[in-house]
Amino acid sequence: MDTQKLWQEALQIIRVSISQANYSTWFSKTHITTLKVLPNNRQFVEIGCSSSFIADGLEKRYFSLIQDSLNQVTQITNDISFIVSQLTIESNSNFLPPLFSESYNDAHSANILELLKRARIRPGFTFENFAVSSSNQMAWAAAEAVSKNLGNAYNPLFLWGGVGVGKTHLMLSIGNKALSKNPDLKVLYCMGEEFTTEIVEAIRNKSTQNFKKRYRNLDLLMVDDVQFIAGKEKVQEEFFHTFNTIQREGGQVVLTSDRPPTEIQKLEERLRSRFEAGLIIDISPPDLELRAAIALIKAEERGLQLPMDVAHIIASNIEGLRRIEGFLTRILTEVQGDSSLITAELVNRLLGRSANEGEPGLNRRAMAPQDVVDAVANYFSLGRRKLLGDGRARPIALPRQVLMYLLRVELGLPLQEVGHIVGGRDHTTVMYAVEKISKNISTDPSLREDILGIKRTISGQM
Ligand code: ADP
Ligand code: MG
């Protein structure tokens, strides 16, 4: 499939999802300017728009729709970005025209991909690329257990948590794992909304038999964002019977929701009690460390190598995982796939650091390390000698670690140099301090306050 054909197919999907007027306003002069195959079943798509007004509008209003449509056509994950470009199709030798990367030619993976497609599972979301930390450890362990022992471990498995904490990723991992272990399994992933639409359609077209056949004899049914079925009587009834039939036949049900069963309004009592009969686990938002780890994984999937300090800068400035991914796409566009161009400098610039989220940023060039030392000493009412000396008591050790953290993460100084400034310490000591503070900053509000306070005093001086 060539790029223009791909875009035509995506546009078909988009066309039926929005009004004709909106379609012609926003999409009529769009085209794909760049398509780049990335590792791990992903690709980067740049969409050319006739003006910056259109480019901004598409990004704000239709980002997910465009991405979903492309994902649907290609069955792989698309990272998208918009650019102002008139409709002249250039051939850019940097970018590979074929839609599918080599693995697609491989008969085995093509087969698995076909199976995944039939199960509506997007490839690329697996246990292997899921990072685990305290916030999601339980959910991960339960999901793994379920994938290895369908119908027996925890049934249903009910995962809940806020937006972007990894519920869908874990759910898809279960499906991926189960199918790759046993390709004969009947597996289906669907979103709560999809399930709802299909039932409504089936009832309207008097084709509920087909619906039952598709859903009721599954070995594994996954319903993502199941809260959507609440309040819809017929849908809940059908779901109840589907659920029971699958379980009775030894199949597994996995559900996700943005809240626990007890808090889903207008959920039928019998469904609630079914949900509660299994294992219910919540996933909390990722801490700083986990966000940094995920940034590294997501960058690698896009063929980018992030330096560790850059991953930390991103993780400490952007909370949402989806926004982190969006930011990585920006980096990708900026460096055109050349990882050696990714520096703390560049990332800070892209973050528009000092204006970001009300957190004062430190201007690297204007900031002398010694000023940071003074600011930390003043803030904690310690003398420089004490701060940089050998004392190990907590009232001194903590400020010292904060100092190392600021020098490393905010000023981007090399570990050795930080060690040198802070009383001639070893680089491993610095590394430990940076890791510790980075980790605690997301869980310890008073530490966060301290660091913000110090940053404020420093930026106030400039
Ligand atoms: P949810 O369904 O909870 O809203 P998603 O599963 O869609 O969240 O996760 C949002 C993005 O963050 C996805 O790209 C997903 O791959 C990624 N993500 C979330 N948690 C992790 C994790 N622990 N490791 C790797 N990627 C993660
Ligand atoms: Mg989800």
Side-chain angles (χ1 to χ4, degrees), residues 244-289:
N244 287 343
T245 314
I246 292 174
Q247 279 205 335
R248 197 174 53 233
E249 304 294 322
Q252 173 76 43
V253 177
V254 181
L255 306 166
T256 70
S257 166
D258 63 353
R259 64 203 84 167
T262 44
E263 283 173 28
I264 304 179
Q265 304 288 316
K266 297 193 184 150
L267 181 68
E268 278 185 21
E269 207 38 55
R270 56 182 181 168
L271 270 180
R272 196 190 312 274
S273 73
R274 280 293 186 287
F275 293 174
E276 284 173 347
L279 181 66
I280 300 174
I281 299 183
D282 69 307
I283 309 180
S284 31
D287 60 15
L288 194 94
E289 285 299 292

Side-chain angles (χ1 to χ4, degrees), residues 44-308:
F44 169 68
V45 178
E46 189 175 66
I47 294 155
C49 313
S50 53
S51 68
S52 60
F53 172 74
I54 298 285
D56 288 350
L58 285 178
E59 175 145 32
K60 287 209 187 80
R61 305 169 60 141
Y62 297 115
F63 189 96
S64 313
L65 175 64
I66 296 170
Q67 189 176 42
D68 289 347
S69 308
L70 286 166
N71 291 349
Q72 204 173 318
V73 175
T74 58
Q75 291 293 319
I76 60 177
T77 305
N78 290 266
D79 295 312
I80 58 177
S81 118
F82 301 89
I83 188 177
V84 178
S85 146
Q86 297 299 331
L87 237 178
T88 47
I89 302 153
E90 332 146 358
S91 61
N92 186 335
S93 59
N94 277 335
F95 293 111
L96 311 168
L99 182 56
F100 298 117
S101 56
E102 270 170 30
S103 62
Y104 281 75
N105 302 329
D106 183 272
H108 173 71
S109 66
N111 189 18
I112 288 285
L113 279 173
E114 187 50 43
L115 288 172
L116 292 175
K117 185 173 176 177
R118 226 176 289 157
R120 301 190 200 156
I121 295 174
R122 254 185 297 153
F125 294 89
T126 61
F127 289 120
E128 284 70 32
N129 62 8
F130 188 83
V132 182
S133 172
S134 52
S135 57
N136 59 16
Q137 164 138 33
M138 290 266 286
W140 166 78
E144 276 238 295
V146 164
S147 74
K148 286 182 186 145
N149 202 354
L150 291 183
N152 292 317
Y154 312 106
N155 204 3
L157 174 63
F158 189 106
L159 304 173
W160 68 274
V163 175
V165 295
K167 303 181 297 293
T168 299
H169 189 136
L170 267 184
M171 182 176 246
L172 292 169
S173 303
I174 297 176
N176 264 306
K177 178 74 162 269
L179 264 184
S180 59
K181 262 179 60 190
N182 180 0
D184 295 329
L185 288 177
K186 290 191 283 300
V187 176
L188 192 64
Y189 164 90
C190 70
M191 291 181 286
E193 290 147 293
E194 262 178 301
F195 187 86
T196 305
T197 320
E198 282 180 33
I199 291 180
V200 173
E201 287 288 305
I203 293 170
R204 188 186 316 149
N205 303 331
K206 306 189 176 56
S207 57
T208 44
Q209 284 312 320
N210 291 341
F211 179 88
K212 285 178 185 153
K213 236 164 69 191
R214 170 150 10 112
Y215 279 91
R216 289 199 186 175
N217 63 0
L218 292 169
D219 298 300
L220 170 60
L221 170 65
M222 297 174 282
V223 182
D224 202 0
D225 289 318
V226 73
Q227 75 272 5
F228 273 100
I229 70 167
K232 295 155 187 127
E233 201 182 313
K234 276 271 184 279
V235 179
Q236 294 194 68
E237 183 179 335
E238 188 55 43
F239 188 72
F240 181 74
H241 294 303
T242 305
F243 189 109
N244 287 343
T245 314
I246 292 174
Q247 279 205 335
R248 197 174 53 233
E249 304 294 322
Q252 173 76 43
V253 177
V254 181
L255 306 166
T256 70
S257 166
D258 63 353
R259 64 203 84 167
T262 44
E263 283 173 28
I264 304 179
Q265 304 288 316
K266 297 193 184 150
L267 181 68
E268 278 185 21
E269 207 38 55
R270 56 182 181 168
L271 270 180
R272 196 190 312 274
S273 73
R274 280 293 186 287
F275 293 174
E276 284 173 347
L279 181 66
I280 300 174
I281 299 183
D282 69 307
I283 309 180
S284 31
D287 60 15
L288 194 94
E289 285 299 292
L290 184 58
R291 291 203 300 276
I294 292 171
L296 289 171
I297 293 176
K298 295 290 170 187
E300 205 179 307
E301 287 176 359
R302 289 163 173 79
L304 294 174
Q305 300 295 322
L306 282 192
M308 198 56 174

Side-chain angles (χ1 to χ4, degrees), residues 374 376-387 395-397 399-400:
D374 287 336
V376 174
N378 287 340
Y379 184 87
F380 290 105
S381 313
L382 289 169
R384 280 178 72 106
R385 278 249 307 280
K386 255 199 171 150
L387 180 63
I396 307 169
R400 191 181 294 137

